[in-house]
Amino acid sequence: MFGVNDKSLKIMYGVGVAVCIIFGLCGIAGGIVVFIVTETVFGVFPLVFGPLMAALLWLVITLRLAEMRDIKFIRNKLYGLDNDGFERFVSDGCVKYDEFSAPRFASDIAAYAERALERLDDRLRDGEVSADTYLHERRRLLANYFVTERAVDGITGDIGKLDADLNAGVMDEASYRSERERLLLDWAAGS
């Protein structure tokens, strides 16, 4: 049901199932006790409704956790994040307007794309990804922010020219980032 990186969701699901089982067993035990002690049919109600309510509780827990998992994956896909660290999802919140909120303006799109590119640059610099993987991931990341293939091709080409200038020593790192940010803003405003 849950992916490899959903340890927290798995734990929450396990606790929820345990609570449902305990609730159901308590209903059965309580029904038996009431049935024996009072010698009336009133013991049938907890005997039947305890497990029924436990099953409904299990259904609600399962559906809610599936919804949380889907929200997490969609959000991470939109912002180019890895699907690990559910704690980050919970601590950041998924509805407040911050770094992870949906971009509303061209400047937001450009800023989010730039932050994601900076994280990717850091991974390349730290040796976590190869140059080929970096180029592939950069294109995939840009496709998350710029919908049309034409825009992704244009941005990729423009950034490629900036990469060449940076590698040739024509511009320094600060100028490179500033120029890349301006390009992203121009493409975001135009798309």
Side-chain angles (χ1 to χ4, degrees):
M1 177 178 187
F2 299 109
V4 175
N5 298 317
D6 288 331
K7 183 178 178 184
S8 299
L9 286 174
K10 286 180 185 178
I11 291 170
M12 290 167 58
Y13 180 74
V15 169
V17 168
V19 167
C20 291
I21 290 171
I22 291 169
F23 189 72
L25 291 176
C26 287
I28 292 170
I32 292 171
V33 168
V34 169
F35 194 65
I36 291 172
V37 171
T38 63
E39 296 180 5
T40 63
V41 294
F42 291 118
V44 173
F45 292 114
L47 192 62
V48 171
F49 289 112
L52 180 64
M53 295 307 288
L56 289 174
L57 180 62
W58 172 82
L59 181 63
V60 168
I61 288 170
T62 302
L63 291 174
R64 181 63 182 136
L65 286 174
E67 179 186 12
M68 291 170 71
R69 182 201 62 211
D70 292 344
I71 291 170
K72 177 186 150 217
F73 280 127
I74 291 168
R75 189 197 91 170
N76 288 352
K77 173 71 175 151
L78 285 172
Y79 299 111
L81 302 174
D82 294 328
N83 278 318
D84 56 359
F86 186 71
E87 295 77 20
R88 180 176 176 171
F89 173 72
V90 172
S91 65
D92 290 339
C94 58
V95 292
K96 63 184 179 181
Y97 186 74
D98 63 2
E99 173 183 3
F100 299 107
S101 304
R104 302 203 171 140
F105 304 104
S107 59
D108 292 339
I109 294 170
Y112 296 133
E114 178 60 28
R115 275 196 292 265
L117 287 171
E118 285 174 3
R119 286 193 299 268
L120 188 58
D121 289 347
D122 293 341
R123 290 179 62 202
L124 176 66
R125 196 174 10 264
D126 294 342
E128 293 178 30
V129 296
S130 67
D132 290 338
T133 304
Y134 170 80
L135 294 174
H136 173 73
E137 286 298 310
R138 181 170 71 185
R139 182 169 182 78
R140 185 191 63 77
L141 189 146
L142 290 170
N144 285 334
Y145 294 99
F146 301 93
V147 179
T148 66
E149 191 69 26
R150 183 186 71 79
V152 173
D153 288 342
I155 296 166
T156 303
D158 289 347
I159 291 177
K161 292 173 190 168
L162 289 177
D163 288 345
D165 288 347
L166 177 66
N167 293 333
V170 175
M171 64 173 45
D172 61 0
E173 183 74 25
S175 301
Y176 170 80
R177 288 187 186 243
S178 173
E179 188 62 23
R180 183 173 68 185
E181 197 171 328
R182 186 194 62 73
L183 281 172
L184 290 170
L185 183 57
D186 289 348
W187 275 101
S191 59

